[in-house]
Amino acid sequence: MRLKKNIATSDEGFIFNPGTGDSFSTNEIGTEIISLLKENKPQEIIIETICAKYDVDQNQFEKDLDDYLSQLKDYTILE
Amino acid sequence: MGKIRYERPIIQRMNTGFMNKFGTRTEFEPVTNIEGVSVKSLINQYGSPLFVISEKQIRRNYQNATRIFKTRYPKIQFAWSYKTNYMNAVCQVFHQEGAWAEVVSGFEYEKALGNRVPGNKIIFNGPDKTDEQLIAAARNNSLIHIDHYDELYSLIRLSEENNLRPRVAVRVNMDTGIYPKWDRFGFNFENGQAWNAITRIINSENLELVGLHCHIGTFMLSPLAYATATSKLCELTWSIKEKFNKTLQYLDLGGGFPSMNTLKGAYLPGSDTVPSIDQFADAITDVILGYGFKQGDLPLLILESGRALIDDAGYLLGTVIATKRLSDGRRATILDFGVNTLFTSFWYDHKVSPVESFGKHTEEMVLYGPLCMNIDIVRESITMPLLEKGNHLVVHKVGAYNMSQWMQFITLRPNIVLIDNENNTHVIRKAETLEYLELNEQVPEHLKQNSLK
Amino acid sequence: MERQLKNFGQLGNKRIVIAVTALNAIDSPGPGVAVIRAIRECPDFDVRIIGLCYESLEPGLYMHDIVDKTYQVPYPSSGTDTLMGRLMHIHEIEHIDLIIPNFDAELFNFIKLKDKLSDAGIRTYLPDLVQFEARDKIKLYEFGNKHGLTIPKDIIIHQVKDLSEAAEKLGYPMVVKGKFYDAIVANTLEQAQKAFFKIQAKWGLPIIVQEFINGTEINVAALGDGEGNAISVIPMRKLYITDKGKAWAGITLDDTSFIELARKFVKVTKWRGGCELEIMQTADGKSYIMEVNPRFPAWIYLTAAAGQNQPAAMVKMALGEKVETFTDYEVGKIFIRYAWDLITDIREFQKISGTGEL
C-alpha cells in the first residue's frame, strides 16, 4: 500500500493525479495521512501518530482510516 | 498538552456537485437549543428520538393567523383540524386560544368531547359517519358537514325517526383551476349536484342548512384557487338567499394552507416560495367583501388550517447510530428515527441541522432510518458536516401529521415533550412500551407454549 | 450619444464594484461575459468586476481581463438565506455597488432579496415579482390577452387524455412544451402523446400545448426603466443557429414594428431591467410574442456594438443616473460567435474548486 509516485500534493490539501487528470481535496487529517504515506510509513505508525496528536480513540480512527484508504484506492491514488 | 479536536479524514473529487458547499454555512449552523432548552439535556432526560413541541410557537402562529384574517374580515372562526395533530395537550392549546374542533371520524369526535369542546363548536367532516355518530352529533348540536347523498338520506331518516333537527352544511367540490381536482369529497358545484343537495336539505322538514363547506386540496400554493372557491361558495349563498330567502350563517373554506416545508421535487425551498397567510387571506376576504352581501348578512368565515399553524412548532431530535460507505462511494448515515416516526419524510425534504459544531468540511450523504426496510430513507441526498456515531440532529417543521400518522412498525414510538410558555418541559405522550403494545393482544391457550430450548 | 454621456461626470471618479453571474461562456452560453464586455467598454466609469459562479469550469472566471475576482455562490435551490449569507461575506470583502444576475433560475432569489441587498448598500436593477411572474410561460397567454399583445394560444393540461380536446381547439401541428424547457412539434395525436410523456418524464406537470406559429424568428433585446419607458430596443435576426437552437450569428434589423412591440411590452409591464423577447413573424406580417426571457440575452454585446450599450446604460440607471432613451443604432451589425480554447493551469482550477475563490 503505497502512494503512487507521481501524485502531486499541496499543503492546502489539494491532490492531483497526473495519470488520470483528476483533482481532489482533502481535509487537514487527510493531508497528514497522505504525507505519512509519502514517507512510506506503515499503517501502525500512521495510527500511532494521528492518535497521539488528535483527540480520538484508536478503534474509531482505525475504522475511519480504513474507509479513507479504500477511497484513495478507488481513486487510484494508492498503488 | 491537550490534543487537537478530531475530524475524520475525507477526500472528495473536484467536479460538479462538489462546489455547492461555499456559502452554505447557514445550513450547518448547529441548533443547540429549542426555545432556550438545550437539545442535549432534552435527549438526556427524555431519550432519543424525541418529538418536541413549542407551545409558544403554536400560540404565536394562531394569534398571527387570526390577526391576519380579523384585520381583513369582521367574522372569523378557526377550527383545529384534529387529524393534523390530535395530542390532547396540543388540541387544548388551540382551544384555549379560541379554536373550535374539526374532526373527521367518530374517534376524533369523542376526543374533542373529551377535551370539553362544546358540541356546537365541533365540526364533523368526512365521508365516514355511522348512524350512531350522526345521532350523537345531532343531539350535541354539532355542525354536520354532509359528504354524499347516502349520508344526506340517512340523516333525513334518522332525524325523522329520532325527532332531531341537526344543523348541517353541504361540502362542495369544484374546479378551482388546480390539479389534482379534489372531486371525491362532497357534492360537485359545476354539474349542479351541490345545488340539488342544497335544495333537498332546504325542502326537508328536519335538517337546518346553516353553512357551506369546501376543502379544495392540501399544501396549496395558489391563493387564486381560494379566491375561485370562495366566489363559487358566495354564488351558492347568494342563490340560496334569492330562491329560498334563507341567509346562511357561515362559509367554511377548509384548510390546505401550506407550511414552509420543501416538497420533494421542488426546485426552490419552501421558505422562499410558499405564499404567506396574508396572501390567502386577501384572496378569500376580498371575494366575500366584494360580493355584495348586506353587512348583516355577511357569513361567518370558518377556517380549518392545520399544517400552517403547527408544522414549525414541532421538532424531532435524533441520534446517529452509524455511518458507512455504500458500494458506489456515497456516504450513508443511519439515524435512530426513520419513516415510521417521521412519516412526512415521504413528502418533504425536511431541513436537518446538526447539534454539535463542526469544522468547515461537509459531505453529501443519504440519511437512513433504523428500519430493516429498503424504503426507510429520511433524505435521499443532503450535504451535512462530518457526522459520527453519537452525534445528534434536529429535524425542523415536523409538527403536522407526524404525531397522528406515525407508524408503530419495528420500533416503538418515542416520547413527545411540550415546552410551555415558561420554558418548562412536560411529557405529553409517553414513549410506548412492550407492555402497552401487547395490552390488546390475546394469545389462544394452545399457542402459549413452544418447545424450543 | 455623445451628449448623453457627458452627463455622467460624477460616476467617473469612483471605481464601481459590479458583481455579475452567468460566466458560462460555453456552446449554450450564459450572458455574463457579454454583459461584462459591454460594461468594460463604456468610457464613463471605472469598474471592478466580481464574478459570481456556480461551477468551477465556467470559462469566464479564468478570463482575468474580464473578471477581477470570482467567488463561487450556492446553487439557487439552496434558497435565499444561504445565498444572502454568501453575498454578505463577499460584500464585506469587496464592497459591491451593484449585482447583475443573468440566469433565469436564480432571478427569483435575487428579486426576493432586492430589499435586503439594498439595505446592505447593494443595488440591483430587476423587475418585481409580479412583472417577473406575469411573463412566465404558463401565464403568458393570459397576460398577453389582458394587455393586447399577440401571444400564441395555449392550453395547460395535466392528463394525456386532455390532448385530443386541446388539439380540437388548436389544430395540428401543435407544440407540446414543458413548464421550464423543451418544445416538440406534433402533427398527430400519437406524436403529441409521445411528446407529452417524454416531457412529463423530464420536467413534470403541467404540460403546455401551444398553437404552432410558422414564421421568421426575431429576437429583441430591450431595457426598461421601471416606469414604462424602453430606454433601448435592438431587434436581431439569427443568421445561423447551432443544433441546440442557439444563435451562432445574428444581424441587427431595421423594422419599427418589432421595436413598437417591445416598447408596448415594456410599457404595459413597467419592466425594470433587461429582457429578451422572442418574436415570431408570420408570412402575413403578424408578430407573436413566443417567449419573454427576464434578463439580457447572451448576444447582448451586439447592442453595444450597434450603438446602444444596454448593460452600461443599466449600470447608470441602477446607480441613479437619468439615461435618455436611445434613438439610433447601426443596422446590419453582425455578431459571429466563436469558440476559443483558453489555457489555464491545474492550480487555478484547484484554487476555485477548493476555496471557492479565484
Side-chain angles (χ1 to χ4, degrees):
Chain A
M1 190 192 55
R2 309 168 59 148
L3 210 60
K4 275 197 179 161
K5 275 208 184 57
N6 52 1
I7 297 291
T9 58
S10 79
D11 296 343
E12 297 89 47
F14 297 127
I15 302 163
F16 176 55
N17 183 346
T20 62
D22 287 327
S23 285
F24 304 89
S25 98
T26 186
N27 56 355
E28 294 76 5
I29 293 189
T31 311
E32 281 193 62
I33 294 170
I34 293 216
S35 68
L36 291 165
L37 286 169
K38 261 195 164 167
E39 295 162 23
N40 289 324
K41 295 279 196 276
Q43 207 158 325
E44 304 81 67
I45 301 291
I46 297 178
I47 292 168
E48 206 175 285
T49 317
I50 296 293
C51 289
K53 189 167 167 189
Y54 290 92
D55 184 17
V56 60
D57 81 52
Q58 185 162 335
N59 285 339
Q60 161 91 40
F61 180 65
E62 272 181 32
K63 185 195 99 171
D64 291 343
L65 182 62
D66 255 8
D67 181 51
Y68 189 68
L69 294 178
S70 75
Q71 278 192 286
L72 293 185
K73 226 170 167 174
D74 275 354
Y75 292 144
T76 64
I77 294 168
L78 284 185
E79 254 172 10
Chain B
M1 207 189 87
K3 291 186 179 181
I4 302 172
R5 187 196 155 113
Y6 175 76
E7 175 184 77
R8 96 177 109 81
I10 54 157
I11 176 163
Q12 283 166 315
R13 195 202 299 265
M14 291 176 169
N15 55 13
T16 48
F18 170 66
M19 293 80 168
N20 204 3
K21 67 177 188 175
F22 303 104
T24 54
R25 267 169 299 178
T26 49
E27 277 242 31
F28 313 120
E29 201 93 349
V31 173
T32 54
N33 71 80
I34 294 167
E35 301 287 7
V37 183
S38 130
V39 170
K40 288 209 164 150
S41 70
L42 283 166
I43 289 179
N44 286 340
Q45 196 175 347
Y46 301 107
S48 172
L50 174 69
F51 277 107
V52 177
I53 293 173
S54 159
E55 181 182 339
K56 246 189 257 177
Q57 189 59 37
I58 298 178
R59 293 188 190 272
R60 275 193 290 256
N61 288 345
Y62 188 88
Q63 288 159 11
N64 182 45
T66 34
R67 183 187 51 74
I68 286 170
F69 273 93
K70 280 194 171 147
T71 49
R72 288 167 172 80
Y73 192 77
K75 292 152 84 179
I76 298 290
Q77 180 61 51
F78 278 84
W80 175 239
S81 153
Y82 264 48
K83 65 178 176 295
T84 310
N85 188 320
Y86 43 56
M87 291 303 119
N88 287 335
V90 168
C91 296
Q92 289 294 21
V93 176
F94 283 104
H95 297 322
Q96 283 185 359
E97 289 289 335
W100 296 359
E102 185 263 323
V103 302
V104 292
S105 69
F107 139 73
E108 286 188 6
Y109 187 86
E110 282 178 39
K111 232 174 179 320
L113 288 178
N115 283 328
R116 290 182 302 282
V117 179
N120 65 355
K121 296 198 160 113
I122 302 176
I123 296 171
F124 198 175
N125 279 324
D128 173 22
K129 309 180 188 92
T130 63
D131 285 359
E132 294 71 33
Q133 289 161 0
L134 286 171
I135 293 170
R139 292 217 163 108
N140 288 329
N141 211 15
S142 299
L143 298 163
I144 302 172
H145 288 185
I146 301 173
D147 189 80
H148 44 74
Y149 277 115
D150 285 323
E151 188 170 87
L152 173 56
Y153 284 100
S154 294
L155 197 56
I156 290 174
R157 177 178 50 80
L158 293 168
S159 308
E160 284 165 2
E161 287 169 7
N162 298 281
N163 196 21
L164 299 166
R165 187 161 170 74
R167 297 192 300 153
V168 304
V170 172
R171 172 148 182 183
V172 182
N173 71 61
M174 59 185 73
D175 183 3
T176 56
I178 53 124
Y179 186 86
K181 201 157 69 181
W182 273 23
D183 56 4
R184 57 175 285 189
F185 305 110
F187 301 86
N188 186 256
F189 174 84
E190 284 82 12
N191 68 11
Q193 217 180 46
W195 182 251
N196 289 342
I198 288 167
T199 313
R200 184 68 192 85
I201 293 170
I202 291 180
N203 290 335
S204 79
E205 303 261 304
N206 293 55
L207 306 194
E208 190 195 354
L209 182 71
V210 288
L212 294 174
H213 172 225
C214 72
H215 189 128
I216 56 176
T218 189
F219 214 90
M220 303 291 302
L221 295 171
S222 162
L224 189 67
Y226 280 89
T228 311
T230 309
S231 142
K232 289 182 176 175
L233 290 191
C234 285
E235 194 182 322
L236 290 174
T237 310
W238 192 267
S239 306
I240 292 167
K241 174 83 180 173
E242 277 205 326
K243 288 255 165 60
F244 304 107
N245 193 29
K246 183 167 180 51
T247 308
L248 290 188
Q249 292 169 19
Y250 69 86
L251 296 183
D252 180 345
L253 265 291
F257 298 164
S259 70
M260 298 288 166
N261 259 310
T262 304
L263 285 176
K264 274 185 197 287
Y267 183 62
L268 296 169
S271 51
D272 286 333
T273 49
V274 167
S276 66
I277 293 187
D278 299 74
Q279 288 168 272
F280 291 106
D282 279 340
I284 294 169
T285 59
D286 283 357
V287 173
I288 311 185
L289 290 172
Y291 209 81
F293 294 111
K294 274 189 274 170
Q295 191 64 26
D297 286 356
L298 275 179
L300 172 71
L301 172 60
I302 299 180
L303 296 150
E304 301 170 353
S305 284
R307 192 193 310 268
L309 300 182
I310 184 87
D311 224 4
D312 67 351
Y315 302 82
L316 176 59
L317 317 185
T319 306
V320 175
I321 294 173
T323 66
K324 56 161 51 170
R325 191 163 302 281
L326 303 175
S327 62
D328 61 4
R330 275 181 307 156
R331 192 84 192 161
T333 302
I334 305 165
L335 310 173
D336 63 355
F337 59 86
V339 293
N340 54 340
T341 311
L342 188 66
F343 190 86
T344 49
S345 53
F346 283 124
W347 320 325
Y348 298 139
D349 283 337
H350 275 292
K351 180 178 170 185
V352 184
S353 300
V355 174
E356 291 85 6
S357 47
F358 287 87
K360 63 178 179 180
H361 291 278
T362 59
E363 58 190 343
E364 201 184 322
M365 60 181 76
V366 197
L367 295 183
Y368 288 126
L371 305 184
C372 212
M373 295 281 291
N374 205 34
I375 53 155
D376 192 20
I377 302 171
V378 173
R379 284 288 304 264
E380 269 130 30
S381 166
I382 183 171
T383 305
M384 293 289 289
L386 310 185
L387 298 172
E388 297 282 5
K389 176 181 164 62
N391 284 151
H392 299 307
L393 295 172
V394 175
V395 188
H396 301 260
K397 301 186 190 99
V398 303
Y401 292 101
N402 285 302
M403 284 156 257
S404 46
Q405 234 174 336
W406 54 358
M407 294 175 278
Q408 187 283 306
F409 178 58
I410 299 186
T411 64
L412 299 170
R413 290 177 283 200
N415 276 319
I416 304 176
V417 164
L418 178 106
I419 302 178
D420 71 16
N421 286 343
E422 278 75 47
N423 291 2
N424 303 309
T425 54
H426 310 264
V427 174
I428 61 166
R429 188 179 193 272
K430 279 199 288 188
E432 290 170 343
T433 58
L434 182 61
E435 193 190 2
Y436 161 83
L437 207 65
E438 291 181 344
L439 194 63
N440 288 338
E441 275 196 57
Q442 300 185 38
V443 181
E445 208 49 47
H446 71 286
L447 295 176
K448 285 190 171 156
Q449 313 283 339
N450 69 55
S451 57
L452 294 174
K453 285 202 173 111
Chain C
M1 273 290 279
E2 276 306 309
R3 186 180 47 76
Q4 283 174 26
L5 294 182
K6 284 195 185 104
N7 297 334
F8 288 95
Q10 60 266 52
L11 285 179
N13 305 327
K14 189 185 163 254
R15 185 170 236 216
I16 307 162
V17 181
I18 306 175
V20 181
T21 69
L23 305 176
N24 54 330
I26 52 171
D27 62 342
S28 178
V33 168
V35 168
I36 297 168
R37 182 179 173 198
I39 290 171
R40 283 205 182 276
E41 222 161 76
C42 177
D44 301 337
F45 40 68
D46 183 20
V47 293
R48 173 172 165 80
I49 299 288
I50 305 301
L52 302 178
C53 72
Y54 293 98
E55 303 279 347
S56 51
L57 283 175
E58 291 178 27
L61 55 101
Y62 298 92
M63 300 177 178
H64 300 306
D65 50 348
I66 288 284
V67 298
D68 294 295
K69 170 96 195 224
T70 301
Y71 294 85
Q72 232 161 355
V73 289
Y75 287 118
S77 57
S78 32
T80 52
D81 287 349
T82 313
L83 175 62
M84 191 64 190
R86 178 62 173 164
L87 292 176
M88 285 304 99
H89 169 74
I90 300 168
H91 188 45
E92 268 168 39
I93 304 166
E94 301 290 350
H95 309 289
I96 303 169
D97 294 303
L98 168 66
I99 297 184
I100 307 178
N102 294 300
F103 272 126
D104 292 359
E106 71 189 359
L107 282 172
F108 179 85
N109 284 347
F110 278 100
I111 292 171
K112 276 234 150 182
L113 287 177
K114 225 156 57 164
D115 293 341
K116 278 192 190 167
L117 288 170
S118 162
D119 290 346
I122 302 177
R123 295 167 195 245
T124 53
Y125 205 71
L126 296 167
D128 61 34
L129 262 190
V130 178
Q131 299 166 332
F132 178 72
E133 284 179 349
R135 41 109 329 248
D136 187 271
K137 257 190 206 181
I138 291 184
K139 297 174 189 148
L140 191 60
Y141 180 63
E142 192 187 321
F143 170 81
N145 258 348
K146 200 167 123 196
H147 294 292
L149 299 164
T150 318
I151 316 277
K153 257 192 235 112
D154 65 25
I155 295 168
I156 314 287
I157 62 172
H158 289 90
Q159 299 176 76
V160 71
K161 72 176 171 63
D162 296 338
L163 275 173
S164 36
E165 201 187 318
E168 267 173 41
K169 290 185 184 144
L170 301 176
Y172 291 106
M174 61 185 193
V175 189
V176 183
K177 298 169 83 168
K179 63 179 164 181
F180 297 125
Y181 298 103
D182 264 356
I184 298 171
V185 179
N187 289 296
T188 62
L189 185 61
E190 287 68 33
Q191 287 179 8
Q193 285 166 344
K194 227 173 116 188
F196 181 99
F197 290 123
K198 194 173 161 194
I199 292 172
Q200 182 191 11
K202 209 163 163 191
W203 303 112
L205 294 170
I207 300 286
I208 305 160
V209 192
Q210 195 178 53
E211 176 187 8
F212 177 77
I213 307 291
N214 194 12
T216 313
E217 190 187 330
I218 310 292
N219 295 57
V220 179
L223 175 62
D225 69 354
E227 312 278 321
N229 306 307
I231 298 301
S232 163
V233 180
I234 301 282
M236 176 278 284
R237 205 192 96 209
K238 294 173 184 172
L239 290 174
Y240 209 97
I241 56 169
T242 67
D243 54 5
K244 285 185 180 166
K246 299 288 161 185
W248 175 335
I251 183 165
T252 55
L253 301 181
D254 179 17
D255 186 320
T256 48
S257 70
F258 303 132
I259 298 179
E260 285 318 308
L261 188 58
R263 285 198 190 289
K264 187 167 177 192
F265 172 80
V266 170
K267 189 170 175 200
V268 298
T269 53
K270 291 201 164 56
W271 192 267
R272 187 187 306 105
C275 65
E276 181 192 31
L277 307 188
E278 294 180 10
I279 296 169
M280 195 67 85
Q281 192 180 40
T282 57
D284 55 3
K286 213 165 159 191
S287 295
Y288 289 83
I289 298 182
M290 306 301 289
E291 228 166 88
V292 178
N293 297 317
R295 38 125 189 111
F296 286 134
W299 55 272
I300 194 67
Y301 182 75
L302 187 66
T303 65
Q308 298 192 6
N309 189 332
Q310 289 189 6
M314 190 175 100
V315 170
K316 291 169 185 170
M317 285 153 67
L319 297 177
E321 296 288 332
K322 172 120 183 73
V323 177
E324 277 172 47
T325 304
F326 289 95
T327 47
D328 298 327
Y329 62 91
E330 276 187 67
V331 174
K333 272 280 177 204
I334 292 181
F335 78 88
I336 305 167
R337 201 164 275 162
Y338 69 108
W340 171 267
D341 295 351
L342 188 151
I343 303 302
T344 185
D345 186 88
I346 184 72
R347 277 184 296 273
E348 293 222 313
F349 172 69
Q350 286 184 339
K351 189 157 181 265
I352 182 71
S353 308
T355 66
E357 295 181 19
L358 183 66

